[in-house]
Amino acid sequence: MLSENIKTIRKSRGLSQEELAVRLHVVRQTISKWETGLSVPDAELLIALSEILETPVSTLLGETVTEPEPDDRSVISEKLEAINLQLAQRKAAGRTALHWLFFSVCVLTAAVFAALMVFQSPYRQWNYADPETAVLATAFHALEWGFVRASPVIFAGAGLGWFLTRKKTA
């Protein structure tokens, strides 16, 4: 039991037989004999061994020490790192999509406004004696009036959004 515990704890601490021997001021073969069960350390070396391995003497003499499983923290850390990378990529993709959406709204608003300027409200020359034409012309006028009133706010908002979602260079 002692031999297995020394070997397991030494390995879990990342020490070689040589490194442990140097710290205990013994030869490597002594550590090897302890780990194979051919000999046992005396009381002074057992206490020094427990201090170097940062393990109580009772643990060295007691139950079988099991080899530690892969560190749960490192596994969780790796998973969290992968998730954070995916989230960062999604955020960047979303920001880019939003950036181009704002740009498209700016361009579309400017294009519709320019089209309205070029065509200069053609429904004004329509024959309003026909009720269907009158209703259609009134609807066109309402849309044009609403767009002309709202377009500066839409354009400014989309322009500000486009500016704020741009990629910042370091």
Side-chain angles (χ1 to χ4, degrees):
M1 224 185 251
L2 174 66
S3 60
E4 295 168 5
N5 289 348
I6 292 172
K7 183 176 185 177
T8 303
I9 295 170
R10 173 185 61 80
K11 286 183 175 182
S12 72
R13 300 289 189 260
L15 294 171
S16 66
Q17 287 183 346
E18 184 68 34
E19 292 169 328
L20 184 57
V22 168
R23 289 187 181 185
L24 285 172
H25 306 292
V26 296
V27 294
R28 186 201 57 78
Q29 288 80 1
T30 302
I31 305 296
S32 176
K33 286 180 182 180
W34 292 347
E35 290 182 357
T36 56
L38 297 175
S39 69
V40 293
D42 63 15
E44 287 180 23
L45 284 176
L46 190 59
I47 292 170
L49 183 63
S50 74
E51 290 173 357
I52 291 170
L53 295 177
E54 299 172 351
T55 304
V57 173
S58 60
T59 302
L60 288 173
L61 296 173
E63 305 170 359
T64 303
V65 177
T66 58
E67 189 104 16
E69 295 293 322
D71 190 10
D72 289 338
R73 291 181 191 162
S74 65
V75 170
I76 291 171
S77 175
E78 290 173 10
K79 288 181 180 178
L80 286 175
E81 187 176 335
I83 290 169
N84 282 337
L85 181 61
Q86 289 173 351
L87 288 174
Q89 289 171 341
R90 283 185 187 170
K91 183 179 178 181
R95 186 180 184 103
T96 301
L98 195 58
H99 177 77
W100 290 110
L101 176 68
F102 284 133
F103 178 76
S104 300
V105 169
C106 283
V107 170
L108 184 64
T109 304
V112 170
F113 198 83
L116 289 175
M117 297 286 288
V118 169
F119 292 119
Q120 296 179 354
S121 306
Y123 58 85
R124 289 185 176 179
Q125 288 80 31
W126 290 358
N127 179 10
Y128 284 88
D130 182 23
E132 291 175 358
T133 306
V135 170
L136 190 59
T138 304
F140 274 126
H141 181 69
L143 288 173
E144 181 182 47
W145 183 87
F147 181 80
V148 168
R149 299 296 183 259
S151 64
V153 175
I154 294 169
F155 187 80
L160 181 64
W162 181 49
F163 177 76
L164 292 176
T165 57
R166 74 191 187 288
K167 282 188 179 177
K168 295 175 177 79
T169 55

